Amino acid sequence: MGRRCSNREEKGGSPEGRRSEGKDQGEGRRSENQEKKKTYPATLETFCPLRLFRSSRLRPTAVVTPTTRLRSDQAMEKNHPLLILYATETGNALDAAERVGREAERRGCPVLILSMDEFDPSSLPCEKFVIFVVSTTGQGDTPNSMKAFWTFLLQRSLSQQWLEKTRYAVFGLGDSGYQKYNFVAKKLDKRLADLGGIPITERGLGDDQHPSGYEGALDPWMSSLWTMLYNENPHFFPKGLDISVSDIKTLHPPKVDITYLDSHEVYSQSSAEIDLKSFEKEIVKSRSMMTGKRSSDKSKPDCFLKMVKNHPISRPGCGKDVRHFEFEALSSTISYEVGDVVEILPGQFPEAIDAFIKRCNLNPDSYITVKHRNKDDFLEDGVTNGPINLKRFIELSMDIASASPRRYFFEVMSFFASAQHEKERLEYFVSPEGRDDLYQYNQKERRTVLEVLEDFPSVNMPFEWLVQLIPPLKTRAFSISSSVLVHPNQVHLTVSIVSWTTPFKRKRTGLCSNWLASLDPNQRVCIPAWFHKGSLPAPEPSLPLILVGPGTGCAPFRGFVEERALMESKLGPTSPILFFFGCRNEQNDFLYKDFWGLHSQKDRVLSEEKGGGFYVAFSRDQPQKVYVQHKMREQSVKVWDLLSKGAAVYVAGSSNNMPVDVLAAFEEIVAEESGVSREAAVRWLRMLEKGGKYHVEAWA
């Protein structure tokens, strides 16, 4: 699809775009909060020169004797926070990390939870115990927040004894429906062991296919983890090892403080008067308040877009709704390359916002400031520390009608339920016995926050808890299907309008795709957008290409083809393009049929005369299904001819079976046409990938 969505598309609020976590297969820049590091007691066991520049609150080291060393180690293990590092793309690994942290705190163990891009990897040997919770995204990819951390761990200068004093545990989130199931957790576990790290317990692998989702593996893994830590030193858990939800009688205060101001105390503009600069400030302010992270240049949209075309390109009533969208920049000039990605912050439908505000007894006209506790350096820049209208805050930062709430949401709800039967049901949901039923009720049905609140009408949660627990509204990422050289100051998208039916026959729709489909190009709706690189690098005109893009996987290749056609018209002949496209029916979903036909004419960039070609697999137009890999095998001579001439391969589309089937077809073609064994063909294609000439962009 032209939408860059991985494993769950928009279901459950994962981005309609770039990698999801499968619920985490399943989920880098370094954070602005990186300076805010953990402080350490002055013991030899924890003192680390690498950390000195990180905190001015470190106390001077004292003279340590063997006796004081023993006492100090015991005090450290009793009071030193247990470090939990997570890497996530859509939030599931963060949710799991926070669950691990809460369970540790209930046993009396203080914790420190950090994203991997908030932690200095060079100080890892200073940690005696570290818990890692990581997701696998797309086709075995590392989450963005983990990339710098992982690159550091791969340094050859790190010895096999680098982590010999560090005990660690790894929990991964993935989906066994993918070939590289939990690949990130597995490779992290192996690398930590290679560097001398000692595992506390066996790694845990959460599986989205489990009846209880990843929690089916998380619960027994945590039980083993707590037992191993307690057996090593009971000081870890002053409150004991066995704590159940029913034992919890009080609720810790929320992590955020909200200050309310009356509307007359704040100068405000009407929505009609809000200009782009004011809109930008609202976005930065609301989203910084929601996450508790200070704003950065990346918090600001690169530009604001206006839709100028909303055109269906699949036949109405065929069971699929695929749109071609065109946008123009309202603010700064658009700049991108073919193969790049645009992220869009979707609008939430006004009916849902109003229903949420009414259900939670909120005043839409009030102004608020949100302060995250224990973040002393938060919001000091003057842009994000001012008040914002409550309704605008919800619209821009809280996903109330798309994402499903997390398990902890139900636990907190139980404290605010005034009806006994609702309280009992909520307590059952968060108990070990009710885990499977909660998964069926919540995740499988993709119930939204608003729906859950409406199902438990006696619950009256303070807004502080709602801000803390409701998933943040995320941008959705899409493959760009145009060339800015051909369409100056425009960006085009090819979007499948997402809808599906739950196991209990509830109709669900994707937030961003349906919002875009609802927009009228004649209305001036400002769409915040961010541009960045994707997995498909822009090719040079002299590079032969083999493209495989069934369905909306053709989106980025539309940009490739139109840009190469422009180059050829201005600079002369370019290298050939061989393109394999696939769809169900020629009459229903042959996307951009006229466009491909035009560029396949004699001596054009997709023509056979130039050594390329355009070949279509219609999977449902005959009794036996035909897919792109079948068309590839039919053209095996041409495929091998281009490969032997240095062609680059680009594959885009569904992540279910297509990438694996296409790779198998390439392996077969290379083996047969070059006369080598299948094993040799596999090694040859791996070298092609390592050499930057085999690229895959896949989503579910």
Side-chain angles (χ1 to χ4, degrees):
M1 292 179 2
R3 289 183 322 104
R4 295 166 61 91
C5 184
S6 65
N7 302 322
R8 287 288 169 190
E9 296 176 340
E10 299 175 274
K11 304 176 186 178
S14 58
E16 256 179 299
R18 197 148 201 259
R19 306 193 167 85
S20 158
E21 300 171 346
K23 284 196 212 154
D24 251 290
Q25 182 106 355
E27 285 214 175
R29 65 182 179 86
R30 298 177 75 83
S31 166
E32 295 76 30
N33 290 335
Q34 194 164 355
E35 293 298 316
K36 190 171 183 183
K37 299 294 179 184
K38 192 175 172 184
T39 57
Y40 289 81
T43 69
L44 288 182
E45 190 67 31
T46 60
F47 178 73
C48 181
L50 294 173
R51 283 295 187 92
L52 275 177
F53 73 99
R54 294 290 177 185
S55 175
S56 60
R57 291 173 290 180
L58 281 170
R59 289 172 289 176
T61 55
V63 177
V64 181
T65 67
T67 303
T68 59
R69 167 72 172 272
L70 177 61
R71 294 195 193 110
S72 181
D73 284 351
Q74 289 176 340
M76 181 272 294
E77 291 182 2
K78 183 177 180 180
N79 300 312
H80 191 67
L82 177 65
L83 179 62
I84 302 173
L85 299 178
Y86 68 90
T88 188
E89 202 71 39
T90 65
N92 288 320
L94 169 59
D95 184 52
E98 290 181 337
R99 170 107 191 276
V100 174
R102 285 193 300 272
E103 294 298 323
E105 288 178 328
R106 285 166 178 167
R107 290 161 175 81
C109 176
V111 299
L112 177 64
I113 303 174
L114 294 174
S115 173
M116 284 192 182
D117 60 3
E118 296 175 327
F119 180 80
D120 181 1
S122 67
S123 62
L124 195 58
C126 302
E127 301 294 335
K128 192 169 183 181
F129 297 95
V130 188
I131 311 300
F132 295 91
V133 182
V134 297
S135 64
T136 295
T137 74
Q139 300 299 304
D141 298 318
T142 302
N144 285 331
S145 60
M146 181 179 169
K147 287 180 178 176
F149 185 96
W150 180 244
T151 300
F152 183 90
L153 289 189
L154 293 180
Q155 291 182 103
R156 294 184 179 181
S157 60
L158 302 180
S159 72
Q160 294 180 355
Q161 294 79 40
W162 189 62
L163 294 178
E164 62 183 358
K165 295 183 179 180
T166 299
R167 304 286 302 276
Y168 73 90
V170 175
F171 185 82
L173 292 85
D175 188 327
S176 59
Y178 288 76
Q179 185 180 29
K180 293 187 176 182
Y181 165 60
N182 258 313
F183 184 68
V184 173
K186 293 174 182 176
K187 71 179 183 181
L188 175 63
D189 184 32
K190 182 179 185 303
R191 183 56 178 162
L192 293 171
D194 290 344
L195 294 172
I198 304 169
I200 303 168
T201 187
E202 291 186 5
R203 69 176 176 239
L205 300 178
D207 186 3
D208 187 39
Q209 300 294 326
H210 189 278
S212 297
Y214 69 79
E215 290 191 334
L218 181 61
D219 286 340
W221 179 81
M222 282 196 300
S223 178
S224 172
L225 176 66
W226 305 145
T227 300
M228 297 299 290
L229 288 173
Y230 187 78
N231 289 341
E232 177 155 329
N233 190 336
H235 286 299
F236 262 110
F237 304 125
K239 296 182 180 179
L241 187 61
D242 298 319
I243 303 290
S244 66
V245 174
S246 60
D247 297 327
I248 302 168
K249 304 301 182 184
T250 60
L251 187 65
H252 289 296
K255 296 179 180 179
V256 301
D257 290 318
I258 296 178
T259 302
Y260 292 85
L261 299 99
D262 292 332
S263 57
H264 70 268
E265 297 180 47
V266 183
Y267 169 75
S268 63
Q269 295 172 295
S270 68
S271 58
E273 296 173 336
I274 293 177
D275 58 19
L276 295 181
K277 198 66 179 176
S278 299
F279 189 21
E280 178 184 277
K281 289 181 179 179
E282 284 187 329
I283 292 170
V284 173
K285 184 183 299 184
S286 62
R287 297 174 71 78
S288 296
M289 286 182 179
M290 184 67 179
T291 61
K293 294 182 179 180
R294 72 171 74 192
S295 64
S296 68
D297 289 340
K298 293 187 178 181
S299 303
K300 301 175 183 177
D302 292 328
C303 69
F304 289 93
L305 303 175
K306 176 187 181 298
M307 181 182 287
V308 294
K309 191 170 186 178
N310 180 347
H311 178 62
I313 54 176
S314 57
R315 186 176 65 83
C318 73
K320 275 186 168 185
D321 184 1
V322 182
R323 304 287 181 100
H324 173 78
F325 295 127
E326 296 183 6
F327 305 88
E328 288 181 352
L330 286 172
S331 51
S332 58
T333 303
I334 293 178
S335 177
Y336 63 87
E337 291 186 305
V338 293
D340 283 358
V341 174
V342 61
E343 292 192 11
I344 287 175
L345 181 65
Q348 301 194 76
F349 291 100
E351 300 81 9
I353 298 295
D354 292 341
F356 175 79
I357 289 173
K358 182 179 180 180
R359 167 63 185 83
C360 299
N361 300 313
L362 301 172
N363 178 5
D365 297 323
S366 65
Y367 280 73
I368 61 171
T369 58
V370 180
K371 169 75 173 179
H372 287 248
R373 296 177 181 174
N374 303 320
K375 296 202 175 184
D376 298 334
D377 61 349
F378 174 60
L379 302 183
E380 297 175 346
D381 55 12
V383 175
T384 56
N385 61 357
I388 186 171
N389 175 258
L390 181 143
K391 184 174 181 178
R392 290 292 284 168
F393 176 80
I394 295 170
E395 289 174 340
L396 295 172
S397 64
M398 300 175 69
D399 194 342
I400 52 96
S402 169
S404 295
R406 312 293 189 184
R407 183 178 184 272
Y408 190 45
F409 188 85
F410 292 86
E411 184 177 327
V412 174
M413 283 178 68
S414 69
F415 285 89
F416 297 101
S418 57
Q420 187 61 29
H421 70 283
E422 292 184 12
K423 184 179 183 68
E424 291 175 355
R425 188 182 181 201
L426 290 165
E427 289 177 343
Y428 167 72
F429 271 160
V430 297
S431 70
E433 298 77 20
R435 184 185 63 200
D436 291 356
D437 287 337
L438 175 61
Y439 186 75
Q440 294 297 323
Y441 166 82
N442 188 42
Q443 289 97 318
K444 278 291 186 182
E445 286 296 297
R446 295 293 182 259
R447 275 186 169 82
T448 67
V449 169
L450 178 57
E451 289 173 331
V452 170
L453 289 170
E454 289 175 338
D455 281 350
F456 295 89
S458 79
V459 172
N460 186 19
M461 288 177 71
F463 192 50
E464 287 83 354
W465 276 112
L466 294 170
V467 171
Q468 177 179 327
L469 297 179
I470 291 177
L473 181 65
K474 293 182 177 294
T475 58
R476 271 62 167 174
F478 299 87
S479 296
I480 294 173
S481 55
S482 58
S483 165
V484 75
L485 301 180
V486 180
H487 307 282
N489 214 38
Q490 281 199 350
V491 59
H492 299 178
L493 301 180
T494 308
V495 180
S496 180
I497 311 307
V498 178
S499 64
W500 73 97
T501 304
T502 71
F504 287 98
K505 308 303 179 185
R506 298 161 67 95
K507 180 71 181 295
R508 293 295 187 210
T509 58
L511 174 62
C512 190
S513 62
N514 281 270
W515 177 69
L516 289 173
S518 72
L519 296 182
D520 182 351
N522 294 319
Q523 296 176 340
R524 189 181 187 272
V525 177
C526 299
I527 304 170
W530 293 258
F531 292 84
H532 60 81
K533 296 297 175 187
S535 301
L536 306 177
E540 294 294 329
S542 58
L543 182 65
L545 300 177
I546 301 175
L547 312 178
V548 184
T552 48
C554 71
F557 305 142
R558 179 178 180 268
F560 281 29
V561 169
E562 67 177 10
E563 183 162 300
R564 185 157 290 193
L566 177 66
M567 295 279 191
E568 188 160 286
S569 68
K570 291 186 174 182
L571 305 176
T574 59
S575 291
I577 299 178
L578 183 60
F579 182 25
F580 296 96
F581 174 70
C583 61
R584 291 184 177 182
N585 311 101
E586 183 175 6
Q587 299 302 319
N588 289 342
D589 56 345
F590 190 171
L591 309 180
Y592 301 116
K593 178 180 179 180
D594 294 339
F595 176 85
W596 308 124
L598 173 65
H599 290 287
S600 299
Q601 293 176 6
K602 185 176 179 180
D603 293 328
R604 295 193 178 234
V605 292
L606 286 176
S607 66
E608 295 183 357
E609 290 81 2
K610 284 182 62 65
F614 176 69
Y615 302 96
V616 189
F618 300 112
S619 62
R620 310 295 171 86
D621 277 350
Q622 60 284 313
Q624 188 172 0
K625 292 180 180 178
V626 177
Y627 297 114
V628 285
Q629 59 266 28
H630 300 122
K631 292 296 180 180
M632 290 170 59
R633 292 186 178 97
E634 290 177 7
Q635 302 298 325
S636 61
V637 173
K638 187 170 288 188
V639 169
W640 173 244
D641 178 61
L642 284 184
L643 285 174
S644 62
K645 292 178 180 177
V649 175
Y650 288 78
V651 182
S654 170
S655 61
N656 292 336
N657 298 311
M658 186 274 295
V660 175
D661 292 341
V662 166
L663 179 59
F666 274 117
E667 292 170 356
E668 183 180 318
I669 290 169
V670 170
E672 291 182 359
E673 297 299 331
S674 67
V676 300
S677 67
R678 185 66 175 259
E679 292 75 17
V682 169
R683 291 194 297 271
W684 190 87
L685 285 164
R686 283 178 182 167
M687 292 299 295
L688 195 70
E689 182 178 4
K690 289 182 179 178
K693 285 194 171 183
Y694 195 104
H695 309 281
V696 178
E697 182 74 10
W699 51 84

